[in-house]
Amino acid sequence: MNLLFDLDGTLTDPFLGITKCISYALERIGRQSPPVESLRWCIGPPLKNSLAKLLASDDETLADKALSLYRERFGSIGLFENKVYEGIHEVLETLLEKDHCLYVATSKPEIYAKRIVNHFGLNRYFKNIYGSELDGTRNDKTNLISYILKNEPISSSDTFMVGDRGQDMIGAKANGIFGIGVLWGYGTKEELETSGAYACIRHPQELIIVFDGKPNRA
């Protein structure tokens, strides 16, 4: 089977880097940053939209400035303030041994995703790494998954999306594939199930059981 993996909240925990960079951007603009623990909801969805909400402004220029400041710190420091979830390396290795084909599918800009995946030694498991462009192209999971299906020799009938947020499940469903929700990330079970998750799992090792069983698509 072909397995598409989200990055933030699924393969790695980016909490420290993302929240510090959001705080940095807001403070550089002259806004007070909320406590970092209250920024957990920002991990997963397209960042520009989250920054606009934090700024409580419809001014796209202001949101663009905040995003630029965020990337100023993230591109050199923040992307490495991150850690791989326990058990991920072992699970990916096992899935490869069972002849599954693995891809990264993240709304994070691809240029950052590739650096993170390489830095943590995850690149050896993945056939390809897909993300958004810096201008926001493909930062929506529906468009991203559609792009992957068009650019890889894989079919929706044998492809699954693994992610921790509702947008992962929505994108999967819109493209005719099953979404597997993971509960060690930043989305709730309610969010994932409401968004169309075929199943939700609590530990990375459960992925081996799920894909050994090959969910019935009938």
Side-chain angles (χ1 to χ4, degrees), residues 185-201:
Y186 289 86
T188 64
K189 185 176 182 182
E190 180 182 7
E191 173 188 339
L192 291 163
E193 290 182 338
T194 300
S195 300
Y198 169 80
C200 291
I201 60 175

Side-chain angles (χ1 to χ4, degrees), residues 103-131:
Y103 299 85
V104 172
T106 174
S107 59
K108 184 184 292 298
E110 191 172 296
I111 188 172
Y112 296 145
K114 288 181 175 178
R115 290 178 64 192
I116 292 167
V117 169
N118 290 340
H119 176 77
F120 289 106
L122 295 169
N123 52 304
R124 64 181 181 272
Y125 306 117
F126 294 99
K127 183 176 180 181
N128 217 332
I129 299 165
Y130 287 93

